[in-house]
Amino acid sequence: MAAPIILLGAGQASASCAAKLRALGYDGKLTIVGEEPAAPYQRPPLSKKYVSGELAVERLFIRPLSWYGEQQIDLRLESHAVALDPAAHLLTLADGSKLPYSKLLLATGSTPRSLPSEIGGRLGNVFTIRNLADADAIAPALKPGAKLLVIGGGYIGLEAAAVAAQKGLTVTVIEMAERILQRVAAAPTSDFFRALHQSHGVTIRESTGLAELLGADNRLTGARLKDGTIIPADLAIVGIGIIPNDALARDAGLAVEGGILVDGQCRTSDPDIFAAGDCAVFAWRGARTRLESVQNAIDQGEHAAACLLGAAPDYDPKPWFWSDQYDVKLQIAGLNRGYDSTVLRPGKRPLSQSIWYFQGDKLIAIDAMNDALAYALGKKALEAGRSPDRAALADPASDLKTVLA
Amino acid sequence: MPKITWVLDGGREISANVAVGHNLMEAAVANNVPDVIGECGGCLSCATCHVYVDPAWAAKTGKPGEMEDDMLEITTAERREMSRLSCQIIATEELDGLILHVPHI
Ligand SMILES: Cc1cc2nc3c(=O)[nH]c(=O)nc-3n(C[C@H](O)[C@H](O)[C@H](O)COP(=O)(O)OP(=O)(O)OC[C@H]3O[C@@H](n4cnc5c(N)ncnc54)[C@H](O)[C@@H]3O)c2cc1C
Ligand code: FES
């Protein structure tokens, strides 16, 4: 009998790929191998409603456990893959077992960057957030009155800061760059979130480098900043970016460059090995692209399913993303890479506005804060390749539907 | 637990008892209702949980909220009068017997 298709990594991309394979009529053997104890689940709530205690764990799962049986998917959890032999079509697990595959999808996700142990990165009460286990370790430490230091002002760190501030912790965010969200957003978006956090009592310190974390008896007590200031802290959350999980691919001799290199067909440098999700890098609009989002995990996972079964058109993502902080919902459509100007459009509600990113006259992305209409209409315009007139866009009295028509 | 019925495009019906407090997108996904996807996990950012409420139930399910109304701009199937994003409909005892029509996407 033919060897199964194996999807490695039991996360968002594999779950989407598996569902799509079955929907496309693949009725052969299908195995998902993942190292975590849990079936595929949604990560976004980990830094939002799950860590705050508002959402129970059962509600995180992408599919009920019974679904895998019904779909005849062999779900192998707590199985860590340690080696890959492309020539022999074999995947080796930590327990020594070797799994033959006909085709393989690498959907291994990514790992948060951590601080080196020389500067206190391994102290107790210093956390990163990627897995359920991380969120479960952090939740009990979010006690009112405790002092939280968030290192890195990206989305995950700011979401954690918001949850903690609402629980009554004293929160300080330090950001090495000139402004929070610098890597992912334009200055008006940073300004909006800085003011939002400050209004909730969070201290935001930008252009601020960390010298070291301080601790006694392996427990964090605070941090020394590059300027010499000492900030006392009971716990720290480190959100300084992620590293794609590409080691297995690299060791197997596959092409790897800041992620597992794939073509528009999700194919790696080996014809029977594919990759999708956080771990995959692909060429898009003339540049190497690696997206870290649910949108990409789902769409590229589904795209990989089509490619595993035959040819498909090249993957052409329509990126979107969201973040929830306090009572603000940020929705992002498009990718702002390479923008040269922005237009700010005030919203109709309190704390609502949208930032429109342009490259020349071409609209390339939108950040909408509490403005779902701007997000929805903007997303439509992006997908249709329409670019609005900037002056009309900036005028809050203009009708957005007309401006974007 | 209220019983909810999803009527698929083509007529097939799927019924399930749904825990009070759960939203009807997650209930649909848990019961393998095709074409209700729920990519954003219910946080009003994807519109992939679009359904048409059976007209007989319109009064009980109520109208879409402001943000939901805006998000209904980007549904894949056409927006109609009874369109809702099912992640925004929360199961209550009053909704026992509710019928939702699922557009094929
Ligand atoms: C806290 C947090 C908040 C987020 N918020 C948002 C958000 O608001 N919006 C948004 O769009 N995106 C958000 N994201 C990003 C989104 O969750 C990821 O982009 C998405 O989960 C990527 O899916 P994936 O399948 O590529 O990887 P994952 O879901 O990470 O799955 C990969 C799996 O592979 C396993 N694995 C890796 N190596 C091996 C091995 N050798 N053997 C076996 N198993 C292995 C890993 O343990 C993991 O379980 C967030 C992420 C985090 C962590
Ligand atoms: S699940 Fe995304 S809007 Fe309902």
Side-chain angles (χ1 to χ4, degrees):
Chain A
M1 224 202 301
I5 292 181
I6 295 183
L7 313 180
L8 179 64
Q12 181 81 60
S14 284
S16 301
C17 182
K20 192 70 177 182
L21 279 169
R22 289 303 187 218
L24 290 173
Y26 172 70
D27 58 5
K29 286 204 241 169
L30 183 53
T31 304
I32 298 180
V33 175
E35 64 196 0
E36 289 189 72
Y41 57 90
Q42 308 172 56
R43 293 180 199 278
L46 296 182
S47 51
K48 309 178 182 88
K49 285 190 173 165
Y50 180 73
V51 75
S52 72
E54 283 170 78
L55 202 64
V57 65
E58 310 83 72
R59 300 179 72 178
L60 295 183
F61 294 108
I62 293 171
R63 299 280 181 171
L65 211 49
S66 59
W67 181 82
Y68 298 90
E70 287 156 17
Q71 297 290 319
Q72 306 207 355
I73 296 166
D74 181 9
L75 179 61
R76 301 199 185 190
L77 302 173
E78 296 183 89
S79 303
H80 175 62
V82 293
L84 167 60
D85 181 344
H89 283 62
L90 283 177
L91 187 66
T92 306
L93 304 185
D95 66 5
S97 53
K98 289 188 191 303
L99 309 180
Y101 63 83
S102 55
K103 288 185 176 155
L104 174 70
L105 175 74
L106 298 171
T108 46
S110 54
T111 304
R113 268 177 216 285
S114 50
L115 293 171
S117 52
E118 305 87 84
I119 63 163
R122 298 277 141 74
L123 285 167
N125 277 16
V126 176
F127 303 100
T128 52
I129 317 181
R130 182 73 195 176
N131 298 330
L132 259 175
D134 300 329
D136 289 339
I138 293 169
L142 295 181
K143 293 198 199 79
K147 293 190 257 326
L148 165 66
L149 174 66
V150 173
I151 300 159
Y155 290 120
I156 292 180
L158 292 176
E159 287 172 355
V163 168
Q166 285 173 302
K167 282 191 176 293
L169 282 81
T170 304
V171 184
T172 304
V173 177
I174 60 170
E175 167 58 57
M176 209 162 65
E178 263 166 48
R179 53 182 178 85
I180 55 172
L181 299 175
Q182 179 155 312
R183 192 178 66 87
V184 289
T189 299
S190 303
D191 296 344
F192 178 95
F193 283 100
R194 182 188 311 105
L196 178 69
H197 279 274
Q198 287 170 342
S199 76
H200 285 269
V202 171
T203 305
I204 305 268
R205 300 192 53 161
E206 295 158 306
S207 304
T208 299
L210 174 77
E212 62 173 336
L213 294 175
L214 308 169
D217 301 332
N218 195 34
R219 279 188 81 77
L220 178 78
T221 55
R224 188 166 57 81
L225 306 181
K226 288 246 167 81
D227 67 7
T229 322
I230 301 228
I231 300 182
D234 302 308
L235 71 150
I237 294 178
V238 180
I240 53 174
I242 59 172
I243 305 164
N245 292 331
D246 56 16
L248 198 69
R250 187 186 309 112
D251 294 348
L254 303 182
V256 162
E257 259 186 69
I260 305 169
L261 265 181
V262 295
D263 62 14
Q265 302 284 306
C266 301
R267 202 183 293 261
T268 66
S269 53
D270 180 281
D272 289 326
I273 304 177
F274 298 71
D278 278 13
C279 67
V281 188
F282 55 98
W284 188 57
R285 298 194 174 162
R288 288 265 161 83
T289 308
R290 198 173 57 74
L291 300 172
E292 303 162 7
S293 68
V294 165
Q295 171 276 321
N296 181 61
I298 293 177
D299 294 346
Q300 204 174 22
E302 292 188 344
H303 192 78
C307 301
L308 280 159
L309 301 179
D314 278 356
Y315 179 53
D316 184 17
K318 301 184 174 75
W320 57 270
F321 189 83
W322 76 94
S323 174
D324 295 319
Q325 296 168 44
Y326 311 100
D327 47 1
V328 172
K329 178 176 294 297
L330 166 68
Q331 295 167 301
I332 302 171
L335 196 65
N336 65 18
R337 177 174 70 192
Y339 72 91
D340 48 34
S341 68
T342 58
V343 169
L344 190 155
R345 182 178 165 93
K348 297 210 182 325
R349 289 165 235 161
L351 286 179
S352 90
Q353 67 174 41
S354 49
I355 313 295
W356 301 69
Y357 295 84
F358 288 84
Q359 191 169 40
D361 287 328
K362 191 173 159 30
L363 177 68
I364 57 169
I366 302 137
D367 295 344
M369 291 78 146
N370 280 344
D371 194 342
L373 191 65
Y375 169 74
L377 295 179
K379 191 168 188 288
K380 248 191 201 170
L382 279 172
E383 285 167 18
R386 286 195 306 266
S387 296
D389 176 74
R390 280 181 238 213
L393 190 61
D395 173 7
S398 66
D399 173 52
L400 201 52
K401 266 196 185 161
T402 316
V403 174
L404 289 168
Chain B
M1 291 209 284
K3 183 178 161 199
I4 310 293
T5 299
W6 290 268
V7 182
L8 307 185
D9 196 58
R12 183 160 75 94
E13 295 187 4
I14 298 174
S15 293
N17 295 318
V18 176
V20 167
H22 281 210
N23 70 60
L24 299 188
M25 175 280 292
E26 57 179 327
V29 172
N31 290 288
N32 295 329
V33 177
D35 296 326
V36 177
I37 317 291
E39 293 192 345
C40 74
C43 64
L44 269 181
S45 291
C46 70
T48 62
C49 58
H50 179 209
V51 296
Y52 305 121
V53 172
D54 192 87
W57 287 87
K60 288 217 167 119
T61 51
K63 291 230 172 309
E66 214 178 341
M67 263 205 150
E68 180 186 345
D69 191 52
D70 293 342
M71 285 299 294
L72 282 165
E73 288 286 337
I74 51 169
T75 53
T76 304
E78 64 162 342
R79 177 177 186 172
R80 296 187 196 149
E81 200 185 332
M82 293 298 143
S83 282
R84 289 292 309 268
L85 294 179
S86 56
C87 67
Q88 302 303 306
I89 308 177
I90 309 296
T92 58
E93 291 299 350
E94 287 75 70
L95 293 183
D96 187 31
L98 174 67
I99 295 171
L100 299 175
H101 301 271
V102 182
H104 181 58
I105 49 172

